[in-house]
């Protein structure tokens, strides 16, 4: 993972926070601390350092300088508007059990957190004849940014699994990319709907590029199908597990490292 080299995180300030959909909170950051971020990295990941509940900005900044450990979580830059020095990050609202969701639920104008990154966009080159994109709510910001970066004449299919029909979002995808929305109302239970969907697709014979991310068990099944049964080239595939049912981020990252040598 490649992040901008910098001593400690930038301290970002919230301009506004609101429910984009019933399950997604969009937080818009703004201010001079965003100056110098590279443009064109929408869909790249970043690390957010979260303050303690009720902590003051001065206290948080001092603790960062002193090396005090705070919860760190990985998120996606949904959009960065360089001219306005504004950046959007979307949070899945899943209660107060996790530090990031809890922070987002209480975020208002003037709230703050630490920011490190962003990495390059996950898909930066579009060289295929047809595209397949799949994601759940956790990976939807990356997938949406990828669709919006595609050539306007791109063709393909995108399938998104959300918890409610009301969680559908507006995405500026090429007109030739069909977007399908599936509903799975309990994300804490494994779903097979995306796999069923892709197995029923009329798969083209020409070059295909795929972008797939979401819950690890689902992503594993899709990876195996796409790479071994549909023979998608690994060079044309971004496939990543963003989270795993029952694990917090630190546990999931350790699992990913352990499984890194295993192809499926």
């Amino acid at each position: 993972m490649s992040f901008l080299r910098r001593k400690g995180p930038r301290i970002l300030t919230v301009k506004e926070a609101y429910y984009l959909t019933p399950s997604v909170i969009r937080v818009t950051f703004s201010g001079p601390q965003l100056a110098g971020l590279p443009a064109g990295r929408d869909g790249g990941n970043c690390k957010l350092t979260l303050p303690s509940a009720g902590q003051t900005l001065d206290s948080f900044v001092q603790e960062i300088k002193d090396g005090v450990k705070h919860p760190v979580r990985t998120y996606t830059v949904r959009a960065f508007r360089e001219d306005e020095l504004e950046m959007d990050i979307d949070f899945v609202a899943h209660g107060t059990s996790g530090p990031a969701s809890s922070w987002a639920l209480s975020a208002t104008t003037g709230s703050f957190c630490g920011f490190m990154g962003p990495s390059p966009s996950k898909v930066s080159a579009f060289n295929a004849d047809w595209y397949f994109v799949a994601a759940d709510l956790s990976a939807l910001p990356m997938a949406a940014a990828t669709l919006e970066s595609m050539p306007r004449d791109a063709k393909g299919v995108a399938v998104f699994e959300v918890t409610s029909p009301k969680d559908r979002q507006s995405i500026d995808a090429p007109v030739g990319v069909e977007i399908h929305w599936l509903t799975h109302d309990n994300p804490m239970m494994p779903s097979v709907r995306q796999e069923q969907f892709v197995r029923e697709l009329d798969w083209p014979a020409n070059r295909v590029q795929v972008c797939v991310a979401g819950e690890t068990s689902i992503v594993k099944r899709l990876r195996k199908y796409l790479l071994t049964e549909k023979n998608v080239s690994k060079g044309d595939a971004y496939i990543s597990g963003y989270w795993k049912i029952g694990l917090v981020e630190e546990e999931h990252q350790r699992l990913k490292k352990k499984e890194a040598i295993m192809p499926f």
Side-chain angles (χ1 to χ4, degrees):
M1 191 178 299
S2 174
F3 292 106
L4 298 178
R5 300 203 174 275
R6 177 185 178 90
K7 277 191 174 181
R10 301 170 187 259
I11 308 301
L12 301 187
T13 303
V14 174
K15 177 181 180 181
E16 64 175 340
Y18 59 94
Y19 277 90
L20 182 68
T21 73
S23 300
V24 176
I25 299 170
R26 173 159 293 175
V27 176
T28 298
F29 298 93
S30 67
Q33 280 289 335
L34 289 168
L37 284 183
R41 293 196 175 186
D42 294 0
N45 58 311
C46 60
K47 297 287 187 181
L48 300 182
T49 304
L50 288 314
S52 303
Q55 187 168 25
T56 65
L57 176 59
D58 288 344
S59 170
F60 181 61
V61 170
Q62 188 59 53
E63 288 189 351
I64 293 295
K65 291 179 179 178
D66 294 341
V68 175
K69 299 296 184 183
H70 286 263
V72 176
R73 292 292 183 265
T74 305
Y75 275 85
T76 297
V77 174
R78 177 62 181 87
F80 174 51
R81 295 174 290 280
E82 185 179 16
D83 291 345
E84 292 85 6
L85 291 181
E86 291 185 355
M87 180 173 62
D88 299 330
I89 295 180
D90 292 348
F91 296 75
V92 179
H94 50 71
T96 58
S97 58
S101 177
S102 179
W103 178 86
L105 284 166
S106 62
T108 58
T109 302
S111 296
F112 53 87
C113 69
F115 173 92
M116 292 176 287
S119 73
S121 301
K122 298 306 179 184
V123 182
S124 57
F126 300 97
N127 305 307
D129 303 297
W130 194 84
Y131 298 89
F132 176 70
V133 178
D136 62 9
L137 275 178
S138 73
L140 185 52
M142 179 279 300
T146 298
L147 286 170
E148 292 176 352
S149 297
M150 284 182 180
R152 295 293 90 182
D153 61 350
K155 294 179 173 58
V157 169
V159 55
F160 300 127
E161 191 165 67
V162 295
T163 55
S164 163
K166 294 181 179 179
D167 285 318
R168 297 181 181 187
Q169 299 180 16
S170 177
I171 300 171
D172 184 22
V175 295
V177 177
E178 300 176 7
I179 298 181
H180 299 263
W181 297 90
L182 307 177
T183 301
H184 178 58
D185 62 5
N186 186 1
M188 291 299 103
M189 294 294 293
S191 170
V192 297
R193 298 201 64 195
Q194 288 184 66
E195 182 181 4
Q196 290 172 340
F197 179 92
V198 69
R199 286 183 177 276
E200 293 171 359
L201 277 177
D202 185 12
W203 203 258
N206 45 10
R207 185 177 179 182
V208 174
Q209 193 170 346
V210 303
C211 174
V212 175
E215 200 278 324
T216 294
S217 63
I218 299 170
V219 168
K220 280 185 177 180
R221 294 196 302 270
L222 291 174
R223 177 188 288 117
K224 186 173 183 179
Y225 175 73
L226 293 168
L227 298 186
T228 64
E229 296 188 46
K230 303 313 294 183
N231 297 312
V232 174
S233 167
K234 288 185 178 180
D236 287 332
Y238 172 75
I239 304 176
S240 181
Y242 275 24
W243 66 289
K244 184 171 176 61
I245 294 171
L247 300 183
V248 298
E249 179 166 330
E250 293 86 354
E251 294 169 335
H252 181 233
Q253 292 300 327
R254 287 195 293 269
L255 178 64
K256 288 185 73 171
K257 289 179 181 178
K258 182 179 179 181
E259 294 180 339
I261 60 173
M262 301 171 64
F264 305 110

